[in-house]
Amino acid sequence: MPSFTAHSSVSQPDLDSFSKHLKSSKRILALCGAGLSASSGLPTFRGAGGYWRTYDATQLATSEAFMEDPSLVWQFYNYRRHMALQAKPNRAHFALAELARRNPDFLTISQNVDGLSPRAHHPAETLELLHGSLYDVKCTNFHCDYVEQNNFTDPIVPALEIPQNTGADLDISDAEVPLKDISTGDLPHCPKCKTALLRPGVVWFGEPLPVKTVSRIDDWTSQHIDLILVIGTSAIVYPAAGYIATARKMGARVAVVNMERPDSGASKLNAGDWFFQGDARVVVPQILEAVTGNIEEPR
Ligand code: BJW
């Protein structure tokens, strides 16, 4: 019977063999998804919690939904901007940031748009935000190039303020709570062309990913890779999920951290992979400790 370390289902033999490989690894890639931020209180996309009111979150995260009902989609994104600003990075975000400081050849690809890795002081030059950021906005007019980064104004325009009851935000993710009827004129508009709506600077299905980000990842993954950490992602969205196969091809051993064993998708386990089942907030600092040292619970 394998022995298990306290407070997690990580077995000591797995932890030992992983730590040995981690310590000898020079080029390390991490692919992160919504499960990394789940313990910070932010919902994932798929499974329980993947609904906002009665809407499947992946259906709201589309240009079709935005064109059909920009007020609804802006309320969804303004709510997520607000919630992510209230949330705090967890120990897994801090552990990855520390690994980046300790290992000069480490690249983290995050599919998350919540800003928690930057807020955990993850070194910017080692972090690629593949699906953009909730705090970037851009003009919807094809002929206008207006883009604004790090817009943390909450609410982004007064009309989108989340209604309150006796000083507390109403939970507008609950379909029982009525949504405001906001006219298009009161939604965020482009200050440059002064005609078109602004939209969140995130990547929706069918849209190209940021060119600089993809080419940096392509460059980085064109050399030998020792290890890929696949953390809290269902690994079904491409091109992100494809980086696991790319890393394998470049020699990487694979370590998956997830609440659930991946039985399908790009993170399906192969012989020789590590699978660490559990909450990323607990498991990630534990498995990286051999290099990062102990990561304190943030206050
Ligand atoms: C925990 C946990 C805890 C829970 N601890 N774990 C090849 C094949 C097939 C299709 C395609 C292909 N290439 C492209 C496509 C099409 C499409 C695609 O991939 N479709 C698939 C669904 C099949 N891809 C695209 O459209 C992409 N664009 C593109 O390819 O463009 C090409 C192009 C070129 C030139 C011109 C035009 C086009 C764009 C993809 C954009 C994805 N966008 C979203 C929304 C972002 C904005 C927003 O946040 O609102 O990104 S969708 C959504 O999914 C979001 C996420 O980043 C992404 C991935 O989800 P993630 O992070 O994995 O979350 P979940 O919920 O799925 O999983 C959470 C996991 O955590 C689970 O496994 C849990 O068990 C686990 N977990 N708690 C540890 N505490």
Side-chain angles (χ1 to χ4, degrees):
M1 271 284 279
S3 60
F4 290 91
T5 56
H7 309 301
S8 92
S9 58
V10 173
S11 81
Q12 195 64 54
D14 278 358
L15 185 58
D16 290 346
S17 68
F18 174 80
S19 299
K20 189 168 169 231
H21 186 71
L22 175 70
K23 283 197 277 188
S24 68
S25 291
K26 290 198 167 45
R27 304 195 77 241
I28 307 172
L29 186 62
L31 175 68
C32 304
L36 174 66
S37 298
S39 272
S40 295
L42 302 180
T44 59
F45 277 87
R46 296 167 185 85
Y51 275 78
W52 192 77
R53 302 178 69 82
T54 53
Y55 306 97
D56 178 337
T58 60
Q59 303 289 313
L60 285 178
T62 62
S63 57
E64 290 78 11
F66 187 79
M67 280 187 289
E68 192 179 313
D69 194 343
S71 165
L72 174 69
V73 174
W74 257 122
Q75 291 192 67
F76 171 58
Y77 278 97
N78 183 72
Y79 170 81
R80 287 177 57 206
R81 285 165 59 97
H82 180 75
M83 296 310 285
L85 284 175
Q86 309 291 308
K88 292 196 177 107
N90 65 54
R91 285 176 71 222
H93 297 99
F94 285 103
L96 289 166
E98 187 58 26
L99 182 62
R101 283 186 285 272
R102 305 254 178 149
N103 187 316
D105 218 350
F106 174 47
L107 181 69
T108 296
I109 303 170
S110 182
Q111 300 168 83
N112 298 343
V113 296
D114 54 35
L116 294 189
S117 289
R119 281 174 50 205
H121 310 294
H122 196 116
E125 64 283 5
T126 70
L127 177 66
E128 292 296 342
L129 301 178
L130 197 62
H131 293 162
S133 165
L134 287 174
Y135 304 101
D136 294 348
V137 287
K138 56 188 187 183
C139 186
T140 52
N141 177 355
F142 181 75
H143 301 288
C144 177
D145 61 0
Y146 182 77
V147 177
E148 185 187 354
Q149 290 188 311
N150 300 322
N151 174 325
F152 296 105
T153 309
D154 180 28
I156 187 161
V157 288
L160 285 167
E161 179 153 37
I162 294 167
Q164 296 202 330
N165 187 9
T166 57
D169 293 331
L170 288 179
D171 179 9
I172 61 165
S173 70
D174 177 351
E176 300 288 311
V177 176
L179 268 191
K180 288 201 265 184
D181 190 9
I182 302 173
S183 71
T184 306
D186 289 331
L187 294 176
H189 275 75
C190 179
K192 188 170 176 189
C193 70
K194 301 200 189 308
T195 53
L197 278 178
L198 291 175
R199 56 159 280 184
V202 297
V203 182
W204 287 330
F205 280 119
E207 294 186 331
L209 288 91
V211 176
K212 264 173 72 179
T213 300
V214 171
S215 80
R216 162 101 198 277
I217 296 169
D218 288 348
D219 274 1
W220 198 94
T221 56
S222 65
Q223 290 173 46
H224 177 82
I225 302 170
D226 296 298
L227 173 66
I228 179 169
L229 306 165
V230 181
I231 302 169
T233 177
S234 55
I236 57 170
V237 173
Y238 284 81
Y243 295 130
I244 303 169
T246 305
R248 280 191 199 282
K249 210 171 75 194
M250 299 313 288
R253 290 196 63 186
V254 177
V256 175
V257 177
N258 203 299
M259 296 290 271
E260 287 164 29
R261 173 175 280 269
D263 290 325
S264 59
S267 57
K268 192 165 183 244
L269 301 171
N270 287 5
D273 293 353
W274 290 275
F275 173 54
F276 298 111
Q277 185 159 20
D279 180 358
R281 178 181 67 86
V282 176
V283 173
V284 171
Q286 186 181 11
I287 63 171
L288 299 186
E289 189 174 355
V291 170
T292 62
N294 183 44
I295 303 290
E296 298 284 336
E297 191 70 50
R299 280 192 253 172

